[in-house]
Amino acid sequence: MRNILASKRRHLLAAAAGAALLAMSPMAQAQDAWPNKPVKIVVPFAPGGTTDILARAMAPELTKAFGQPFVVDNRGGAGGNVGADIVAKSPADGYTLLMGTVGTHGINKALYAKLPYEPQKDFAPITLVAGVPNVMVMNADKARALNINNVADFIKYARANPGKLNMASSGNGTSFHLAGELFKSMTGIFMTHIPYRGSGPALLDMVGGNMDVMFDNLPSSMPHIKSGKLKAFAVTSGQRSTALPDTPTVEEAGQLKGFEASSWFGLLAPAGTPPDIVNRIQQEVAKSLNTPAIKEKLQAQGAIPGGMSPQEFTRFIDAEHKKWAAVVKASGAKVD
């Protein structure tokens, strides 16, 4: 009997020790204590663009929810690939997130000959933050000087003056670039593409008159449209935007059947990030997107709030990749 009791006691002690070791493991500690230090949200573009605007709208909400600073870190370059690659190769501990885009996770795999990361394998999708239409804008002073009042005028001028108009974008392979390439291929015009390291720097040159036209995200262009510095010709979505109800779609204005090139933005973590952390972030983002203040702020800029589950966002990304691969092929756009 003593031997049986001693044996049971040894088993219980061993089980307790094992449970204690498991609780002390780095993964368990990381999940239980997360977050116990600042969390970085990498924006793969320069400050001032819609990706940056949305990240900075979410950061204070997540800071309040989790009690640790969520800090925006701009890492622009290569159409978002530089910042995306940084996150893909970061520890899967919940302390490095990416504000991904239709470019980094929908377009670039089909557009770039070599991509340093795998969009569908190197990340754990968290949630869609917002979807936005792009808007075709021109420097207002140049539009007046050239007597270009709408999309039809623009196409007419560009056909008569090939190469005289410069098209700015937030970088090679972004939705801005691809929307412009699609527009060029469907109208038969030629514009010189000038890529920047983000929408912010590109908009500065647009407003300053150094660039002529841009297919920008509506939220980042909206202040300049309202100020009269930029003239909005059309939105690139399939339907008109409630933020610019009097502005036609490109399909309407240019009689370009089937033209659609909208953008979206969402949070992702490195692949292997604990599901508990992913779910907690998703729940707080969805909660904040449903508050009147954030919802009204995004909708006023033409953005449609998201909040979908990680599983839904994963399926969404898969569908977007298929869609944009076909668009890239049809447009003939390619980046080495």
Side-chain angles (χ1 to χ4, degrees), residues 31 37 42 51 113 115 188 204 224-226 248 254 286-287 293 304 306 310 319 336:
Q31 286 183 250
K37 62 180 181 180
V42 173
T51 320
L115 205 61
L204 285 176
H224 306 295
I225 294 170
K226 288 182 176 179
K287 192 185 299 181
I304 302 168
D336 295 328

Side-chain angles (χ1 to χ4, degrees), residues 250-328:
V250 171
E251 182 178 40
E252 288 177 305
Q255 296 184 344
L256 302 176
K257 187 172 177 57
F259 187 100
E260 184 174 357
S262 298
S263 298
W264 54 262
F265 307 84
L267 281 173
L268 303 101
T273 300
D276 176 60
I277 293 175
V278 169
N279 289 329
R280 288 172 64 192
I281 297 172
Q282 184 274 329
Q283 289 162 10
E284 292 302 334
V285 170
K287 192 185 299 181
S288 66
L289 289 173
N290 204 38
T291 60
I294 295 294
K295 187 184 289 187
E296 289 171 14
K297 181 178 180 180
L298 295 185
Q299 289 177 340
Q301 299 181 78
I304 302 168
M308 59 179 60
S309 71
Q311 295 77 21
E312 291 170 329
F313 192 30
T314 298
R315 291 192 292 270
F316 176 82
I317 289 173
D318 291 342
E320 282 291 288
H321 169 66
K322 291 176 184 176
K323 168 190 167 181
W324 284 102
V327 173
V328 169

Side-chain angles (χ1 to χ4, degrees), residues 8-19:
K8 284 185 177 180
R9 187 167 179 270
R10 283 195 297 270
H11 283 302
L12 288 170
L13 288 172

Side-chain angles (χ1 to χ4, degrees), residues 27 31 90-94 121-125 269-275 277-278:
M27 183 62 75
Q31 286 183 250
S90 294
D93 55 9
K121 293 181 181 178
D122 292 345
F123 295 87
T273 300
I277 293 175
V278 169

Side-chain angles (χ1 to χ4, degrees), residues 4 34 44 71 75 78 88 101 104 120 138 146 150 156 159 184 199 203 209 234 277-278 287 298 300 306 323 332:
I4 293 173
W34 186 91
V71 183
R75 297 294 189 96
T101 70
T104 61
Q120 292 159 288
M138 188 172 182
L146 297 175
N150 49 46
K156 182 179 178 180
R159 283 177 177 162
K184 286 161 63 176
S199 177
L203 280 171
I277 293 175
V278 169
K287 192 185 299 181
L298 295 185
K323 168 190 167 181

Side-chain angles (χ1 to χ4, degrees), residues 212-255:
D212 301 316
V213 65
M214 185 173 175
F215 291 80
D216 187 35
N217 291 146
L218 185 51
S220 46
S221 274
M222 186 66 84
H224 306 295
I225 294 170
K226 288 182 176 179
S227 72
K229 297 288 186 181
L230 296 179
K231 183 173 180 61
F233 287 147
V235 292
T236 64
S237 49
Q239 296 179 330
R240 294 191 181 200
S241 169
T242 54
L244 288 175
D246 296 329
T247 301
T249 66
V250 171
E251 182 178 40
E252 288 177 305
Q255 296 184 344

Side-chain angles (χ1 to χ4, degrees), residues 90-105:
S90 294
D93 55 9
Y95 290 99
T96 306
L97 309 177
L98 174 72
M99 183 61 81
T101 70
V102 62
T104 61
H105 283 76

